[in-house]
Amino acid sequence: MLKTDKSLEEMSKQQVVNYLNETVKPEEGVIPVYLLGDQKVYDIEHEKVFLKTWVFVGHESEVPNKGDFMTRDLAGYSLIITRDAEGEIRAFYNMCTHRGMKLCRADKGNKSLFTCPYHGFNFKNTGELVGVPLQKDIYGGTLDRSEMGLHKVKLESYKGLLFGTWNEDAEPLEEFLGDIKWYLDLLVGRAEMEVIGVPQRFVVNSNWKVGSDNFAGDSYHTMVTHGSIAKLGMVPNATYSKRGFQIHMDNGHGLNLGTPNPDFAFPEELKDEFKSNLTEEQYEVLSNLKNMIGNVFPNLSFLISHTKIKDQFISNTSIRMWRPIGHNKMEVIAWMLVEKNASQDWKDRSRDSFILTFSPSGIFEQDDTEVFTDITEAAQGPMPFLKNLTYNYTMGLHRDPVDFIGPGIAYDDKFTEASQRNFYKYWLELMTK
Amino acid sequence: MNVEKMLLICEFEQWLYDEAQLLDDIEFDDWFDLMHTSLRYQMPVRVNKEGVERPDYSTDMFTFNDDIELLKLRVDRLKTDYAWAEIPPSRTRRFVSNVRVKDFVEGEKAVVKSYLLIYRSRSTDIQHDLISGERNDEFIFEEGKWKLSKRIFIVDQTTINTRNLAIFV
C-alpha cells in the first residue's frame, strides 16, 4: 500500500486529489475507508460532485396547482420551487437579492408573491422583483428592479422527477441520466404518479455514500440485515434477494432488479395505462418485477418493494435522497409515490406498507440505519488513513455480463459489487477532474 | 378544579406513567396488552407552514399508521434475532407531563392529551436523541380496564433527529 508522510489534514487540495487518484481503485475492488470519514474529501465532494452534477430536488406532483411552492435543498443551498399562473415550474435561490435574507421559510404552500422579512422586498413566483417599500422616495427612481430578480436555478424534469444544478455547463438532464431512464420509466413513467403527502425526513449519522452504495447494488446485505423479514413471512426466504439482475451504466448509476414474480406487483386495473406508457420490453420486465432498488448518481435512490402484509401482497414505490449535512451526517428525505389512477384502497394499503417497511419507523429501514451509522463511525479520524484501511469490493469481478432486455451492463443475479465499483469509478472521475 | 376531576387526571396520569415504564423496561408484550383491538396508532409527518396555517402536519403521510395487527408485527419483529435496530435495545426514558382529560364518559371512553419527551441512548454513544411532542389519546373501557384505542403523536420536529423509530411513541 501507498505510504505518505503527510496526513490528509496537511495536504493541499490538489495533493488530496492526487492521493485519491492513487488509492481509490474501483476497478480492482479497492476502496479506502477514509473516503467515508474525512472532512477534506467531503469538502472536495461538495465542490466537484454536488455543485457539478444534477441533484434531485422533488417531484412535479408536489406543486400540483398554480401558485404552489416548496422549498428544497440543492447542494446545501435553499431553493424555492414555484408553479406560476401559466403552470410553469421554476427554481430560484432562496435568497433576497437586496441583502441575502432567506425569502421563504415554509416547506410548502400556495402564494404568488414572496416578501422578504428584512426590508419587505417583494418577488413574484416568476422571480421578478415587483415591490420595494418607499422605492421612489429612498432610491430617487434610480433602482433598476429588472436587474434584481431572484437568481434562477437550472431545473429540468424527467417524467416528473425534478433535478436542479448549479452548473451552467451541465449536460442536459436526459443525457446525464442516460441508460437509467429505461428503468426510471418502470419507477415513475409506468403511469401517472403522484407523491402522497409530504416527504419523511430524518437524520442518520452516516456518510451519504453509504446510502447510495447500498441502493446502487447491495442486495447481499438483505439476507442478514433484513433477516427478520423472512422470519415474519413477509418474503419467502432469506436468499430471496439473490435472484434477478444487477445492472449499471455510465455516470455512476446502478440498480438491482428482482425477478421473477409470480404475482403482478401493481394495480391490475391499470394494466392498459402501463402498456401505453411503456415499451413492450419494459412492460415485460414490469409484469415480472419482484422489486427494484437503485441509485441515480450521486444521491437519489429509488425503490419498488413488494411484500406480503396481512396475507396480501402489495408493492410500494419510493424515492429517497441522502442529503449530506457533514462527512458523518445526512438527512434522509423519503417520498412515497403511487399511481394517481389507482383505487383509494390500493393507495392506502401501498402507503401503509411503505410506512411499515421503509419510513423511519420501517422495519427494513431501521436496521439499515444501524449499519450505516456504525460503518461511518469506524471510518472517522486519522487512523483509517494512517493504516491504509480499505474495503473489499471484489465480489463478482470474475463474472461476465449477460444479455438483458434493457440497457446497461447486466449480471444475472444481484449478488455482485459491479454497481458499487461503477459508482466509485464515476465518483473518482468527478473528484479528480 | 374539584376533587373528582383531580382524581380523574390522576387516574390517566398513572396509566400513562405505567405505560412509559413498560416501554422503557422493554416489556413490549405487556405494553401491547394495553391496546384496544380497534387501535389506530398514528404519527403524522410535521410540516413548516406559512404563518398560522393549520394543521401544520400532513393529513396523509405518517411515520406510524398502524392498526392492532401491524403493531403486533412490530412487537413480534423485535423478538427475532435480526432486529438489529434494537440490539442492544435503546435505553429510553419517557417523560409524560401536562396531562389533560378532554372528554370522559365513566366506564366507557376518555380523551386525554399529554406531552411526551423521550430520551434515547444507543449502545456506547455519548450523544443522545430527544423526541418531543404531544399525544392525543383515546381510551375505551373494557373488562374493567382502560385500553388505548387511538393515539395521534404530533412530533415537534419536521426532520426527526433520531436514526429511526424502532422505538414506540
Side-chain angles (χ1 to χ4, degrees):
Chain A
M1 277 304 292
L2 191 82
K3 291 279 176 196
T4 171
D5 297 334
K6 277 188 178 174
S7 70
L8 278 170
E9 287 260 296
E10 293 162 330
M11 288 185 195
S12 69
K13 198 165 85 183
Q14 191 52 50
Q15 285 172 321
V16 174
V17 167
N18 294 344
Y19 195 72
L20 285 171
N21 229 344
E22 289 167 53
T23 55
V24 185
K25 298 171 189 162
E27 268 130 352
E28 296 169 31
V30 177
I31 303 296
V33 170
Y34 72 83
L35 299 194
L36 302 183
D38 186 74
Q39 182 65 41
K40 267 202 153 151
V41 173
Y42 178 81
D43 292 342
I44 298 172
E45 248 171 16
H46 184 231
E47 186 189 327
K48 298 203 172 201
V49 176
F50 287 94
L51 291 177
K52 290 286 164 60
T53 56
W54 289 96
V55 179
F56 182 73
V57 292
H59 190 266
E60 283 181 23
S61 69
E62 293 180 272
V63 282
N65 308 305
K66 291 167 182 174
D68 281 353
F69 72 87
M70 58 184 174
T71 49
R72 285 294 145 83
D73 178 86
L74 176 58
Y77 299 97
S78 178
L79 302 189
I80 309 178
I81 296 173
T82 63
R83 190 188 281 270
D84 73 12
E86 270 73 55
E88 193 183 325
I89 299 178
R90 293 186 180 84
F92 303 102
Y93 187 26
N94 189 2
M95 182 193 92
C96 178
T97 51
H98 172 231
R99 195 62 85 248
M101 173 60 189
K102 197 182 245 187
L103 257 190
C104 177
R105 293 178 296 162
D107 296 335
K108 57 183 283 196
N110 183 287
K111 62 177 184 181
S112 53
L113 213 60
F114 295 87
T115 304
C116 178
Y118 202 10
H119 303 96
F121 280 43
N122 268 290
F123 298 86
K124 248 180 86 176
N125 61 0
T126 50
E128 294 161 68
L129 175 62
V130 290
V132 176
L134 308 175
Q135 190 191 171
K136 280 199 183 114
D137 183 18
I138 58 179
Y139 287 102
T142 62
L143 188 74
D144 185 0
R145 285 196 321 220
S146 69
E147 290 289 307
M148 290 184 67
L150 293 176
H151 297 289
K152 201 166 181 209
V153 177
K154 204 166 167 171
L155 185 79
E156 286 182 26
S157 167
Y158 184 73
K159 309 243 160 142
L161 300 175
L162 294 167
F163 291 80
T165 181
W166 294 108
N167 180 2
E168 287 304 324
D169 301 323
E171 65 211 296
L173 174 66
E174 292 220 12
E175 234 169 80
F176 169 72
L177 294 173
D179 284 341
I180 205 161
K181 283 186 295 181
W182 199 92
Y183 303 93
L184 290 178
D185 290 350
L186 303 178
L187 184 89
V188 290
R190 65 179 187 260
E192 191 180 347
M193 302 293 284
E194 63 180 5
V195 169
I196 298 290
V198 295
Q200 305 265 5
R201 295 161 174 266
F202 55 108
V203 167
V204 183
N205 292 326
S206 166
N207 185 275
W208 68 274
K209 292 192 288 301
V210 188
S212 293
D213 170 309
N214 179 279
F215 273 65
D218 199 319
S219 288
Y220 185 40
H221 79 290
T222 308
M223 288 194 300
V224 178
T225 311
H226 305 304
S228 66
I229 308 306
K231 293 249 181 216
L232 294 169
M234 294 174 72
V235 297
N237 53 60
T239 52
Y240 173 83
S241 54
K242 187 170 187 288
R243 288 163 69 196
F245 296 88
Q246 181 173 104
I247 304 150
H248 68 264
M249 51 280 289
D250 285 352
N251 297 350
H253 313 311
L255 67 138
N256 274 341
L257 198 144
T259 186
N261 187 356
D263 305 288
F264 189 66
F266 306 96
E268 296 269 347
E269 69 274 17
L270 299 184
K271 278 186 171 171
D272 286 342
E273 190 179 350
F274 299 141
K275 279 180 193 162
S276 70
N277 284 310
L278 300 172
T279 65
E280 226 168 276
E281 290 80 15
Q282 285 172 321
Y283 184 75
E284 193 184 319
V285 173
L286 189 82
S287 307
N288 248 320
L289 194 71
K290 203 169 59 178
N291 50 38
M292 185 169 76
I293 310 109
N295 187 63
V296 176
F297 190 92
N299 64 337
L300 173 66
S301 286
F302 57 84
L303 173 71
I304 296 172
S305 163
H306 194 220
T307 49
K308 197 192 254 179
I309 295 169
K310 296 184 183 177
D311 288 326
Q312 246 185 316
F313 274 108
I314 181 91
S315 71
N316 66 76
T317 300
S318 63
I319 49 182
R320 58 182 47 227
M321 205 170 75
W322 318 103
R323 184 175 88 81
I325 301 176
H327 59 84
N328 58 0
K329 201 184 270 278
M330 65 184 180
E331 181 184 16
V332 184
I333 311 179
W335 292 257
M336 193 251 160
L337 289 144
V338 76
E339 288 87 349
K340 196 173 181 179
N341 298 320
S343 67
Q344 194 57 46
D345 174 62
W346 174 278
K347 288 182 183 180
D348 290 347
R349 288 196 302 118
S350 184
R351 176 194 62 194
D352 292 344
S353 82
F354 163 72
I355 293 168
L356 182 73
T357 55
F358 282 99
S359 80
S361 78
I363 60 184
F364 283 75
E365 185 79 46
Q366 292 173 14
D367 298 328
D368 280 331
T369 57
E370 203 69 16
V371 173
F372 292 5
T373 305
D374 282 2
I375 288 172
T376 300
E377 193 182 317
Q380 302 303 302
M383 187 280 284
F385 173 80
L386 289 172
K387 304 285 273 184
N388 295 319
L389 302 187
T390 57
Y391 303 115
N392 184 304
Y393 278 85
T394 59
M395 194 201 304
L397 265 177
H398 65 292
R399 290 170 61 188
D400 292 320
V402 297
D403 283 333
F404 183 67
I405 199 168
I409 297 167
Y411 293 87
D412 60 0
D413 76 48
K414 290 152 79 183
F415 287 6
T416 166
E417 282 157 355
S419 256
Q420 289 114 307
R421 289 191 290 271
N422 179 61
F423 170 86
Y424 274 110
K425 186 175 147 238
Y426 187 61
W427 179 87
L428 184 65
E429 203 179 305
L430 291 181
M431 291 291 277
T432 53
K433 216 180 223 173
Chain B
M1 191 183 292
N2 58 30
V3 174
E4 212 169 82
K5 179 93 190 207
M6 284 170 73
L7 287 172
L8 190 61
I9 292 168
C10 193
E11 184 178 2
F12 284 101
E13 270 175 356
Q14 288 305 316
W15 194 101
L16 293 167
Y17 294 164
D18 290 343
E19 182 205 12
Q21 172 133 37
L22 290 173
L23 285 171
D24 292 344
D25 289 351
I26 325 166
E27 302 278 0
F28 295 128
D29 286 334
D30 291 343
W31 175 69
F32 186 77
D33 285 343
L34 299 175
M35 305 297 142
H36 191 261
T37 50
S38 67
L39 179 75
R40 178 55 55 181
Y41 179 78
Q42 288 184 326
M43 175 175 165
V45 177
R46 203 82 193 254
V47 183
N48 296 309
K49 291 271 185 84
E50 285 271 307
V52 291
E53 194 188 331
R54 293 293 179 271
D56 59 346
Y57 54 82
S58 180
T59 52
D60 48 10
M61 186 46 77
F62 307 90
T63 304
F64 285 108
N65 188 26
D66 292 351
D67 58 13
I68 194 79
E69 212 177 321
L70 294 185
L71 194 71
K72 179 80 167 62
L73 188 77
R74 291 183 190 275
V75 169
D76 286 346
R77 190 192 93 95
L78 287 168
K79 290 189 262 181
T80 69
D81 297 334
Y82 293 92
W84 307 111
E86 284 296 305
I87 300 174
S90 298
R91 274 172 295 267
T92 59
R93 191 70 59 199
R94 286 169 177 74
F95 298 87
V96 181
S97 70
N98 299 54
V99 176
R100 285 147 295 149
V101 178
K102 290 294 182 188
D103 192 13
F104 176 72
V105 180
E106 190 163 3
E108 218 177 286
K109 60 170 190 171
V111 176
V112 180
K113 282 183 181 249
S114 61
Y115 291 174
L116 177 68
L117 180 66
I118 307 176
Y119 168 97
R120 184 187 193 191
S121 163
R122 292 284 304 129
S123 186
T124 52
D125 279 4
I126 53 167
Q127 307 284 350
H128 61 265
D129 298 342
L130 289 177
I131 303 157
S132 151
E134 183 177 58
R135 279 166 166 177
N136 295 278
D137 292 340
E138 292 180 24
F139 295 86
I140 291 174
F141 198 75
E142 196 176 79
E143 291 165 2
K145 285 179 185 144
W146 288 109
K147 299 254 177 171
L148 186 71
S149 59
K150 188 170 185 180
R151 167 162 292 166
I152 303 175
F153 180 70
I154 307 292
V155 66
D156 289 330
Q157 282 183 317
T158 49
T159 295
I160 299 166
N161 191 18
T162 188
R163 66 180 80 176
N164 57 45
L165 280 161
I167 57 168
F168 298 105
V169 293

